[in-house]
Amino acid sequence: MRLLCIDVGSGTQDILLLDTTRTAENAIQFVMPSPTVLVARRIRQATARKKVIFLAGETMGGGACTIALREHLAAGLSVYATERAARTFSNDLGKVTSWGVKLVSDGEAASIRNGVKITTGDVDFALLERAFSAWDVKLDPGVIGVAVLDHGAAPPGESERRFRFRYLEDRLKKQATLESLVYRASEVPEHFTRMQAVARSLGERTPLVLMDTGAAAVLGASLDGEGACHPERLAVNLGNSHTLAFHLEGLKVLGMFEHHTSMLSLQRLETLLARLVSGELTNDEVWNEGGHGALVLSGGGSPFLLATGPRRALIRPSRLKPCFAAPFGNMMLAGCFGLVRAMALHFSEWRMEIDKALRLD
């Protein structure tokens, strides 16, 4: 059985094709520029040529492409976008149009001439098929897993940061496990517009699971050989944009916080981790300094510290002496291996086969 896992970050998209009949270390692995980086590059090329751009496709992650879009508009150049493409930049379409973006229907978009068409979307299965075919690999997965960071479409007047964390808090208070942060395509809440877009992009051709990028990375980091020996863990994923830390006992969540990596110094990160474990960390403390929030369900203990993510160098000199998780020898694929674990948790009919491939049997 082949499992395709795609972890879409703000800097890279990490791709794993795991054959359960082979060792995990021999899986096919790619680390490529993320879709937002690629779209940003195409926008800037159009800006340099002073071209009108037309954005169509699915809602995807913003970040780099949002910055490029604002620069294009600031240069006095026009932007047309379908509603789904426009939600890439904000779920508040009034905000997007206030920048100068002109919304068009799919039909109107097809009639636009003399512009540069840029397709948006977090997952392009046809492109992946072509990439794999260059090495004579047929892309025919039995299950697909995708991780994206989805802030969610907040109600009018509510911050997306606040809304996202409030939803995570409610979810974990009902079921305090990492498994509760895994969704099948039919289970994705309507307000998670980015996950919904991924599900539409892939259709119903193959069973699909979706996760938040941070939760997937933490789940995957727990497969690291040394980390797996410690039931109580403090797992931190230092992503290019966001840092998430989970205090865990097995898969049970004892507490967590989410922050913006660029706002963290080593000293502040160490303080946040210590206060999370002690149970003293509050939601307002993280929110007021620009993060998303914190949740403590149970404090205390002396957890084993696992660190992963592309910005993990921040914690390298820490007095907390972290273990740098590299499941099956690859730190950048932690999120993908977390998706593999999520597949086993959500599809009981394949659990034994997948667990054997992960050497959990």
Side-chain angles (χ1 to χ4, degrees):
M1 182 180 192
R2 286 182 168 184
L3 313 174
L4 175 64
C5 301
I6 308 167
D7 181 11
V8 183
S10 62
T12 66
Q13 54 179 319
D14 312 320
I15 301 165
L16 173 75
L17 183 63
L18 176 69
D19 186 331
T20 58
T21 66
R22 306 182 67 193
T23 61
E25 289 84 352
N26 281 313
I28 297 172
Q29 307 170 24
F30 291 156
V31 177
M32 304 295 284
S34 68
T36 186
V37 169
L38 296 174
V39 168
R41 186 179 302 165
R42 291 165 192 150
I43 292 174
R44 289 196 171 101
Q45 288 169 350
T47 306
R49 294 165 55 203
K50 300 189 183 304
K51 291 285 189 177
V52 171
I53 61 173
F54 154 54
L55 299 160
E58 280 292 355
T59 304
M60 58 177 279
C65 66
T66 302
I67 295 170
L69 177 87
R70 300 296 299 271
E71 291 171 351
H72 188 87
L73 290 164
L77 298 168
S78 296
V79 177
Y80 296 88
T82 61
E83 284 196 9
R84 283 181 176 173
R87 290 186 188 279
T88 294
F89 310 105
S90 174
N91 282 303
D92 181 355
L93 294 180
K95 180 179 179 181
V96 178
T97 56
S98 74
W99 299 343
V101 176
K102 302 174 182 66
L103 298 182
V104 294
S105 67
D106 290 327
E108 290 171 320
S111 66
I112 295 175
R113 299 289 183 267
N114 302 319
V116 176
K117 181 176 179 179
I118 299 173
T119 302
T120 57
D122 278 317
V123 178
D124 185 338
F125 193 84
L127 177 62
L128 290 176
E129 284 183 311
R130 293 196 298 273
F132 279 94
S133 69
W135 282 271
D136 293 326
V137 176
K138 184 178 181 181
L139 192 57
D140 54 354
V143 186
I144 298 175
V146 180
V148 296
L149 190 148
D150 196 331
H151 285 88
E158 183 172 4
S159 159
E160 285 191 350
R161 274 196 300 142
R162 182 77 82 181
F163 176 72
R164 168 181 160 80
F165 201 85
R166 181 166 58 81
Y167 175 79
L168 290 174
E169 181 179 21
D170 290 345
R171 186 96 177 172
L172 288 171
K173 282 183 176 179
K174 291 174 183 175
Q175 183 184 349
T177 69
L178 286 177
E179 186 178 355
S180 70
L181 303 179
V182 181
Y183 306 92
R184 297 194 193 195
S186 60
E187 299 169 343
V188 176
E190 286 187 10
H191 61 259
F192 278 159
T193 55
R194 192 175 172 189
M195 287 190 183
Q196 290 279 0
V198 169
R200 285 195 300 268
S201 295
L202 291 170
E204 299 179 358
R205 74 182 88 196
T206 306
L208 172 67
V209 296
L210 298 110
M211 284 192 79
D212 186 273
T213 49
V218 165
L219 186 57
S222 299
L223 296 170
D224 177 86
E226 187 173 355
C229 298
H230 299 268
E232 187 183 359
R233 300 180 302 282
L234 179 58
V236 55
N237 177 57
L238 289 141
N240 286 312
S241 294
H242 292 79
T243 289
L244 276 85
F246 282 84
H247 184 193
L248 301 167
E249 186 176 291
L251 294 180
K252 181 180 178 181
V253 176
L254 305 179
M256 59 91 67
F257 73 78
E258 181 174 36
H259 216 304
H260 293 105
T261 307
S262 61
M263 294 181 173
L264 295 174
S265 65
L266 172 60
Q267 183 179 9
R268 183 55 184 156
L269 178 59
E270 289 177 330
T271 299
L272 289 168
L273 292 171
R275 288 175 61 77
L276 175 65
V277 172
S278 69
E280 299 172 283
L281 188 64
T282 67
N283 183 63
D284 285 345
E285 182 179 347
V286 175
W287 166 262
N288 289 336
E289 61 185 34
H292 283 240
L295 170 67
V296 174
L297 298 172
S298 179
S302 301
F304 182 77
L305 178 59
L306 278 172
T308 190
R311 297 287 300 280
R312 63 182 186 161
L314 174 64
I315 202 172
R316 185 176 295 280
S318 174
R319 58 183 170 78
L320 301 176
K321 297 181 170 33
C323 168
F324 291 101
F328 305 100
N330 196 325
M331 178 276 295
M332 287 297 290
L333 272 293
C336 288
F337 282 112
L339 287 166
V340 174
R341 182 76 175 113
M343 292 172 182
L345 293 171
H346 261 239
F347 294 108
S348 58
E349 62 269 37
W350 298 312
R351 184 171 301 167
M352 187 177 298
E353 181 178 352
I354 296 172
D355 281 352
K356 185 177 180 180
L358 295 175
R359 300 199 280 275
L360 296 174
D361 55 332

